[in-house]
Amino acid sequence: MATLVLLQRDLRQFDNPALYNAVRRRKPIIVVHVMEKRLGSTSKWWLCKSLRLFRQQLEEWSIPLLHLDDSANFSDMIDYLNDHIEIEQIYSNGLDFELPDNFVEIHESFLANLIFIPEDMTKEFKIFTPFWKSIRKNCSPVKPLPNPDWCKKNHVNIEFDEYNELPMMMADDRWNQMESYWEIGEKAAQKRLELFVKTKLSDYDHGRDFFHKDGTSKLSPHLRFGEISVRQIYEKLNNKSNERFCSELGWREFAYHVYRNHGDMAKIPLNPKYCDFWPEYNDDHLNAWRNGQTGYPVIDAAMRDLSTTGWMHNRLRMLVASFLVKNLLIPWQIGEEWFYDHLVDADPAVNPFSWQWVAGCGTDSVPYFRIFNPMLQGEKFDPQGIYVRKWLPEFADFPMKRNIHQDIIKQPNLRPENYPQPIIDFKSSRERTLSTYKAIVAAKVIQLKKPRLP
Ligand SMILES: Cc1cc2nc3c(=O)[nH]c(=O)nc-3n(C[C@H](O)[C@H](O)[C@H](O)COP(=O)(O)OP(=O)(O)OC[C@H]3O[C@@H](n4cnc5c(N)ncnc54)[C@H](O)[C@@H]3O)c2cc1C
């Protein structure tokens, strides 16, 4: 008789409730990773590496890690496993698919991805601050579990010849390059947390906004795949001096709070006024945005950074998203999809939530008239153009004393020859957007053209 542990976004041994409870049963354990339904290619790259490392960790406990590529084949897999050893109990930490009816009785699901238990929050909140205040006042954060007490009885001495293959990525230079930016897995996540606490946390409130400074934790992909427990981070850092950092974890909780009631958030605006809004858009503009060729240095640097590293600083995410939606008037869903495919931390709740926040159609969103100015933002948060120079080789000889963000717009002769002209005029695109949004906000029912979505 064996315990089956199904994992999706919880590739860790420490504070993993499904694994912990399985170990306590003192029966042989089989772990199966089930492929998520929505996974971008860059996150898949991360997952492939993470699964291999996790398999090595589980081998130390003689627990086999199998992989199911499509949750639709769940029953076939159980038949196969039952031919080798009877599956008595199934544990998971929440799945993105429903188990077939005949397994519901033996399945127990724990929640592992959030600090607070969502069921403890009976009211639906639309604004972040009251949500965060209320949940902290009225609910208790879940404490991380102790290390499970591993015992030799839990061994499974069976060689599985099916479901043994872990997913693979096609060879691509992109992945080789990405490799140099990241250390993957549970051990790396713990190391990153330690380093952040030692070297960056004390300056986080100020440093987090400067995109050339590397002042944030970069824990997001580890949290995305559950290589580290958010409860462990919260328990360690939740005190008065780390309010700002904890409130960022709070935004993550809030995104999941909203996602619980709006699973279709990646496609459907939370504010129905925006449902049928988007006009036709320009494909050349979209391609320029994707490839970092808009002629606006900070936007282009950020988009090239994303393609190379799979990550982007939070302020830059806001800037490039605002530029796409509010200057190029391209539907936010298209940007969401691009991010989802290119981010190592592409998160099914946080990514669509954040895109809706920028587009102004979400909950507790940026007001429609707030349109980020890439020149001013660049000047403020990358004053010497260090970040831009890092990602745009076209600016290698640009004089250090010049303001890279403003000067090339105000004095076109300073623009490097091999760097594109701006694809739009910032001021007039801003005005066009403001009048379009004003009409939406004023209208009772919007009936413009449907968006052309991918
Ligand atoms: C358009 C857009 C898309 C985004 N897409 C994602 C996504 O797919 N996945 C993702 O994890 N984050 C996303 N974010 C939120 C945020 O940009 C990242 O969480 C953050 O940049 C990750 O870097 P970090 O780990 O160094 O963050 P830190 O500043 O060190 O924060 C610690 C943790 O708090 C959480 N967090 C921080 N900022 C936010 C935020 N604004 N909203 C929700 N949670 C937050 C993350 O889990 C993060 O790892 C998006 C933001 C925008 C504007």
Side-chain angles (χ1 to χ4, degrees):
M1 299 241 212
T3 312
L4 179 65
V5 176
L6 299 176
L7 298 182
Q8 282 193 308
R9 302 187 43 181
D10 29 25
L11 305 180
R12 63 175 181 274
Q13 282 173 306
F14 179 63
D15 192 29
N16 183 330
L19 198 53
Y20 177 84
N21 283 289
V23 169
R24 277 162 57 105
R25 291 189 81 232
R26 297 271 183 261
K27 299 270 172 73
I29 297 170
I30 301 167
V31 174
V32 175
H33 172 263
V34 186
M35 196 65 134
E36 283 172 68
K37 288 205 173 98
R38 189 174 189 221
L39 197 67
S41 65
T42 310
S43 320
K44 189 175 170 198
W45 166 79
W46 184 288
L47 173 74
C48 290
K49 301 255 159 204
S50 188
L51 277 175
R52 279 162 179 77
L53 291 165
F54 193 50
R55 176 176 269 177
Q56 281 171 18
Q57 271 175 260
L58 290 179
E59 269 166 12
E60 288 167 20
W61 284 356
S62 306
I63 297 180
L65 173 68
L66 305 180
H67 170 73
L68 178 63
D69 213 32
D70 184 348
S71 55
N73 299 328
F74 182 78
S75 299
D76 293 346
M77 183 195 69
I78 296 282
D79 288 346
Y80 168 81
L81 294 177
N82 272 327
D83 283 346
H84 293 78
I85 184 167
E86 188 188 336
I87 302 296
E88 194 187 31
Q89 183 77 43
I90 302 177
Y91 288 147
S92 77
N93 294 312
L95 300 164
D96 72 355
F97 68 101
E98 305 263 326
L99 290 194
D101 286 349
N102 45 335
F103 299 109
V104 171
E105 291 284 302
I106 57 164
H107 175 221
E108 195 174 341
S109 178
F110 309 88
L111 203 90
N113 184 32
L114 296 173
I115 303 165
F116 295 93
I117 301 283
E119 283 79 9
D120 293 351
M121 202 71 188
T122 43
K123 184 175 156 195
E124 188 183 343
F125 283 84
K126 297 212 175 333
I127 307 287
F128 171 71
T129 306
F131 162 81
W132 191 229
K133 271 193 183 152
S134 171
I135 205 163
R136 297 227 281 184
K137 186 165 167 231
N138 301 316
C139 309
S140 303
V142 183
K143 291 229 171 279
L145 295 162
N147 270 325
D149 174 20
W150 178 247
C151 152
K152 285 214 158 116
K153 273 194 214 143
N154 304 24
H155 285 194
V156 171
N157 292 319
I158 301 169
E159 288 279 314
F160 294 101
D161 50 8
E162 283 189 42
Y163 304 102
N164 213 352
E165 201 117 316
L166 297 180
M168 298 250 297
M169 290 303 284
M170 302 290 277
D172 188 326
D173 285 348
R174 206 170 132 212
W175 310 133
N176 295 338
Q177 219 176 4
M178 214 159 274
E179 187 106 33
S180 60
Y181 290 97
W182 296 104
E183 237 188 288
I184 295 174
E186 184 171 10
K187 284 184 190 146
Q190 294 292 345
K191 232 166 68 186
R192 190 172 276 281
L193 174 63
E194 289 308 316
L195 188 75
F196 171 66
V197 171
K198 249 195 227 150
T199 60
K200 294 181 196 163
L201 183 61
S202 59
D203 187 41
Y204 180 80
D205 296 12
H206 173 73
R208 67 183 289 276
D209 269 323
F210 293 87
F211 27 85
H212 67 279
K213 267 195 172 172
D214 198 18
T216 65
S217 70
K218 285 197 173 169
L219 282 166
S220 53
H222 299 294
L223 282 166
R224 162 66 179 83
F225 287 101
E227 293 173 345
I228 193 163
S229 153
V230 69
R231 294 167 185 172
Q232 181 204 342
I233 302 175
Y234 189 72
E235 188 179 72
K236 188 178 171 92
L237 302 184
N238 179 27
N239 61 49
K240 278 249 161 344
S241 44
N242 302 324
E243 266 302 301
R244 184 66 219 231
F245 181 79
C246 288
S247 86
E248 295 308 323
L249 295 178
W251 274 100
R252 181 175 177 276
E253 300 275 312
F254 186 50
Y256 273 89
H257 174 73
V258 177
Y259 183 58
R260 261 189 112 210
N261 297 308
H262 304 276
D264 52 6
M265 201 158 67
K267 292 279 177 250
I268 314 284
L270 293 163
N271 182 343
K273 273 201 168 191
Y274 289 82
C275 276
D276 290 329
F277 147 57
W278 296 101
E280 275 301 297
Y281 58 88
N282 181 321
D283 281 320
D284 293 338
H285 287 175
L286 176 59
N287 287 332
W289 179 82
R290 284 175 169 164
N291 298 322
Q293 298 285 347
T294 65
Y296 285 88
V298 81
I299 303 293
D300 294 340
M303 293 305 287
R304 294 190 207 177
D305 180 0
L306 173 67
S307 300
T308 312
T309 66
W311 191 85
M312 195 192 281
H313 185 281
N314 181 57
R315 182 157 290 275
L316 292 167
R317 295 187 201 207
M318 295 194 287
L319 290 187
V320 302
S322 173
F323 190 79
L324 183 84
V325 178
K326 292 187 173 167
N327 292 101
L328 304 181
L329 269 187
I330 293 179
W332 60 268
Q333 292 95 330
I334 291 178
E336 196 276 342
E337 187 98 25
W338 185 260
F339 263 38
Y340 208 83
D341 198 46
H342 284 76
L343 282 170
V344 279
D345 62 24
D347 186 288
V350 183
N351 195 48
F353 172 89
S354 305
W355 273 92
Q356 295 221 26
W357 182 87
V358 176
C361 56
T363 172
D364 200 3
S365 303
V366 176
Y368 76 88
F369 47 81
R370 187 163 170 218
I371 299 178
F372 287 101
N373 180 320
M375 287 80 75
L376 293 180
Q377 290 280 318
E379 196 176 15
K380 195 165 171 194
F381 296 110
D382 179 30
Q384 289 142 330
I386 296 170
Y387 177 79
V388 162
R389 278 171 229 268
K390 177 175 175 192
W391 291 105
L392 303 184
E394 295 95 319
F395 285 88
D397 299 326
F398 199 77
M400 278 308 283
K401 63 179 189 313
R402 288 226 168 251
N403 177 335
I404 221 166
H405 307 282
Q406 298 275 9
D407 289 0
I408 63 156
I409 302 290
K410 290 183 184 151
Q411 292 170 258
N413 59 321
L414 290 175
R415 184 171 288 266
E417 262 175 33
N418 53 353
Y419 186 62
Q421 293 295 322
I423 55 171
I424 42 136
D425 172 59
F426 183 77
K427 200 163 160 238
S428 53
S429 70
R430 184 175 183 279
E431 278 155 16
R432 179 181 69 143
T433 299
L434 286 179
S435 58
T436 313
Y437 267 71
K438 255 183 210 154
I440 298 169
V441 172
K444 286 210 169 70
V445 180
I446 305 297
Q447 284 299 347
L448 295 183
K449 279 182 199 159
K450 287 243 181 241
R452 180 161 54 93
L453 297 175

